[in-house]
Amino acid sequence: MAELLIPPAQQLIDGEWAAARDKGELPVTDPATGQTIQAVARAGRADVDDAVSAARRAFPAWAATSPSERGALLRRWAELIGRHVEELAAHEARDVGKPLSGGRMNVYIAQGIIDYFAGAADKLTGVTLPTRTPDYLGYTVQEPYGVCAVVIPWNVPSVLTAANVAPALAAGNTVVLKPSEVAPLAPLALAELARQAGFPPGVLNVLTGYGADAGAALTSHPGVNHISFVGSTATGRAIMRAAAENLVPVKLELGGKSPNVLFADADMDVAIPAIVGSITENAGQNCYAGSRLLVEASVKDEVVERVAAAMRAVRLGPWDADLDMGPLVSEAQYRRVLGFLEEAPRAGARLVTGGGPAGEWAGGRPGGWFVEPTVFDDVDPGARLYREEVFGPVLAVQAFSGTRQAIEMMNDTDFGLLACVWTNDVSRALRLAQEVRSGQVSVNQFADAGVIGFPFNMQKDSGFSRGGGHGAMREYTQEKAVAIRLLDR
Ligand code: NAD
C-alpha cells in the first residue's frame, strides 16, 4: 500500500505536487502549542490560473466517462481512506486542535459521504415529460457545470472536502478545492488518496493559500463555472458579489445560531448530555453548534445547574491527549471568543460557569488557545451573545413559557441552520418542526445522527444549498430540457 505523504510546501495541481509558482509558503500550526506542524504552499493568482486551466482541460473527458466508472473511482477513494484512517485523523485533529477520536469520527464521516456518492453517481436521472399529443417527446437531462470551485473553512476539513468534492465529481464536474489556510492538511491528504485511487490528472486540484488572495482569485476566476462556499456569512456575501461579475451559480453554507428548545416533559438524561455536547464538541466551532438553549421556565433553574455541572466536567487537552475538548483553532478565534465573554456580563447576562481562558492549558502551555466551557443565563435577546455566532464553547440560555413563545424565540434569529426540539409530546414536536424557519430540525436528538443522506440544508443568513443526500447531486448539475416533434417519415 502506498504511503500517505503530503510533500511540504506543495499543492496538488494537474495530478502533480508542486510548490507555489512564487515559492510562497505558509505555516500550519498546532493550536494547543502554537508550534508549526508543517508548511504548505501559499497559492497566488498564477497558481489559481494553473489549477483552473488543469480542471478545464480535464473536464470534457471526465464528463464523458460513464457514471458507473466515476462511482467506481469514488468507491476506490473511500476504500483508501479506510486504510489510512489513523493518519488522516491525526491531520484533522492536530490541525484543528480537536481530540483524536473527534478527528477519527470526522474521517469516518468523510469516508461514508464519499461512499454514498459513489453509489449515487449512476443514479442521477432526468424525467420524461407529458406531451399534448403523442407526436411529441419531452425529457430533461442533468449535466455537469464544468469546473467547480470549492472553498471550505477549518472546522471539519475532511467532512467538508468529502461533502462538496464527492457530489461534484460524481456528477461529472472537475474541481479546484481551496481549504482554509488554518487547516489544510486533511484536505491535502485526502487529495493524495484520490490521486492514488486513480482520478485522472486535473479532475481534483487543491490549492492552499489565504482567502484574500487564493480564495478571492479562485472565486472570481472567469474559468470557474460553479462555486461552493462553506464559511462565514460575511465571506459568503463577498463571494456572491464576486460571482455576480461572472454570472456563476453559488452554493452557500454559512453560519448558525442553533437553538436547543427544551420542554419540561423532555427526557433530561438524554437531553442534557446532548445539549452540552452540542456546544463543546469541536470546542463549539461547528456551524450547527447548539449555542442557544431555550428552556421552559418551570425547569430552568434545575436544567441550568445540571448543564453547568456537565460543562465543568468537560476535560480539556491537546489533540493527542484525546480528552473531551481541545483549544480554539487560532489566536484570532481565541481573542474573538474572549471578546464575547468580556462583553456578555456588561450586556446583562449572568455568568453561571466558565467565562475565560482555561488556566491549565492557556497558562501552562504557551500558545495554547484554550477557553473554558461557558454558560451564561438570562441572556438578553438583543445581546450580541444571543444573536451572533461565537464559534466557541459558549452557551446562551433563556427561558420561555408555553409552545407559542418557544416558537417565537426559536425563530428569533437571522440564521436558519438547525433547531433541536426536546419533548415527549408528539404534537408539540411536530408543531415546532412545522413552524421552524431553518433548513434542518431534529427531535429528541441533536442534529441528524442516524439518518442516511440527510440533506444539509440552510435558510435565511445561514445560506442556501442542497448539501448532503441525493439533492447535492442536483446542486452540482444543470438541467437541460429537450422537446422533440416526432415526424412521420
Ligand atoms: P471564513 O469565511 O473566514 O473562511 C472560509 C474560507 O473562505 C477559507 O478557506 C478562507 O480562506 C476563504 N476566504 C476568506 N475570504 C475570502 C474571500 N474574500 N474570497 C474567497 N475566499 C475567502 O470562515 P472560517 O473562519 O474559516 O470558518 C468559520 C465559519 O464557517 C463559521 O461562520 C461557520 O459557521 C462556517 N461553517 C459553516 C458550515 C455550514 O455547513 N453551514 C460548516 C462549517 C463551517
Side-chain angles (χ1 to χ4, degrees), residues 328-342 357 367-369 371 384 390:
L328 297 176
V329 76
S330 63
E331 180 174 5
Q333 190 63 16
Y334 174 79
R335 304 257 165 248
R336 193 171 169 274
V337 172
L338 290 187
F340 276 97
L341 298 182
E342 280 154 22
W369 312 120
V371 168
R384 243 167 40 91
V390 177

Side-chain angles (χ1 to χ4, degrees), residues 97-102 280 282 313-326 360-361 365 370:
K98 63 183 72 174
L100 181 59
S101 44
T280 55
N282 209 11
V314 171
R315 298 164 306 158
L316 272 55
W319 70 280
D320 47 352
D322 201 17
L323 300 176
D324 305 320
M325 197 181 103
E360 187 188 342
W361 291 103
R365 305 186 72 166
F370 290 88

Side-chain angles (χ1 to χ4, degrees), residues 45 48-60 145-150 173-176 202 205 216-227 242-243 245-249:
R45 189 169 287 278
V48 173
D49 283 341
D50 287 350
V52 173
S53 301
R56 290 197 79 76
R57 281 194 305 276
F59 172 67
Y145 280 102
V147 176
C148 294
V150 174
N173 301 279
T174 54
V175 171
V176 180
N205 309 273
L218 177 61
T219 50
S220 59
H221 199 289
V224 163
N225 305 105
H226 180 279
I227 299 171
E245 277 305 308
N246 296 323
L247 284 179
V248 169

Side-chain angles (χ1 to χ4, degrees), residues 54-144:
R56 290 197 79 76
R57 281 194 305 276
F59 172 67
W62 180 246
T65 53
S66 101
S68 309
E69 249 176 81
R70 296 199 293 269
L73 273 172
L74 285 162
R75 188 156 296 112
R76 171 99 187 109
W77 188 18
E79 280 163 12
L80 287 180
I81 290 169
R83 293 193 210 162
H84 291 276
V85 171
E86 290 307 308
E87 293 150 276
L88 290 163
H91 282 310
E92 169 99 14
R94 198 169 173 201
D95 225 358
V96 183
K98 63 183 72 174
L100 181 59
S101 44
R104 203 177 283 129
M105 180 185 74
N106 291 155
V107 172
Y108 280 123
I109 293 172
Q111 184 195 23
I113 291 170
I114 294 169
D115 201 47
Y116 177 92
F117 288 108
D122 60 4
K123 291 162 195 74
L124 181 68
T125 57
V127 292
T128 51
L129 299 162
T131 52
R132 288 189 207 290
T133 72
D135 303 331
Y136 295 89
L137 175 64
Y139 62 92
T140 63
V141 261
Q142 299 295 133
E143 297 184 339

